[in-house]
């Protein structure tokens, strides 16, 4: 069992930056690939970024490429998402998730989900 708790959300102006964190507990963190998803009001939840178990492979959805960076610290059981050049369309609840592989994360076939943290980008 894995418990995931996101933090770091908030209100930021367009063009600004925000860093999200996800604290994992419950079992050995380095057994899982991890990822970030988001859900905007009235829209389906969508994949944002994923990172493999060792942290040396990542994958991003097209809206996130070049602006967002996913990373992890297995010693701290933590997952991160650094978001730069934020846009109003990035406004959403952001979720972290754990799964068996990078591929499974990208396919949204995750085993565990956090409760989410709100990110609001103002114009």
């Amino acid at each position: 069992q894995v418990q995931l708790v996101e933090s770091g959300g908030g209100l930021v102006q367009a063009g600004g930056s925000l860093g999200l964190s996800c604290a994992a507990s419950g079992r050995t963190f380095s057994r899982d690939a991890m990822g970030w998803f988001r859900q905007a009001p009235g829209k389906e939840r969508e994949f944002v970024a994923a990172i493999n178990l060792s942290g040396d492979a990542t994958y991003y959805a097209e809206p996130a490429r070049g602006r967002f960076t996913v990373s992890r610290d297995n010693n701290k059981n933590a997952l991160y998402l650094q978001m730069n050049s934020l846009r109003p369309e990035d406004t959403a609840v952001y979720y972290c998730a754990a799964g068996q592989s990078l591929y499974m994360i990208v396919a949204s076939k995750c085993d565990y989900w956090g409760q989410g943290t709100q990110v609001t980008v103002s114009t």
Side-chain angles (χ1 to χ4, degrees):
Q1 193 77 3
V2 175
Q3 292 80 43
L4 304 173
V5 179
E6 303 92 340
S7 62
L11 175 64
V12 63
Q13 287 188 329
S17 299
L18 203 60
L20 304 183
S21 299
C22 175
S25 62
R27 73 175 195 188
T28 305
F29 176 71
S30 60
R31 292 175 57 183
D32 298 288
M34 302 291 296
W36 289 97
F37 293 77
R38 68 186 184 185
Q39 187 168 19
K43 295 187 177 182
E44 297 287 322
R45 185 163 56 189
E46 63 177 5
F47 165 76
V48 175
I51 188 166
N52 69 343
L53 280 71
S54 59
D56 58 1
T58 57
Y59 187 80
Y60 297 90
E62 193 280 331
R65 286 176 195 153
R67 301 189 298 128
F68 294 4
T69 302
V70 60
S71 61
R72 65 190 294 165
D73 186 336
N74 289 344
N75 292 324
K76 295 182 179 179
N77 285 3
L79 174 73
Y80 306 102
L81 184 69
Q82 178 63 38
M83 304 184 292
N84 299 325
S85 301
L86 284 162
R87 305 164 181 165
E89 53 264 40
D90 294 318
T91 295
V93 177
Y94 282 71
Y95 300 88
C96 70
Q100 297 181 30
S101 69
L102 190 67
Y103 171 80
M104 297 293 276
I105 297 287
V106 174
S108 298
K109 296 178 180 180
C110 304
D111 298 321
Y112 304 101
W113 296 87
Q115 293 300 307
T117 186
Q118 176 71 46
V119 172
T120 303
V121 184
S122 64
T123 55

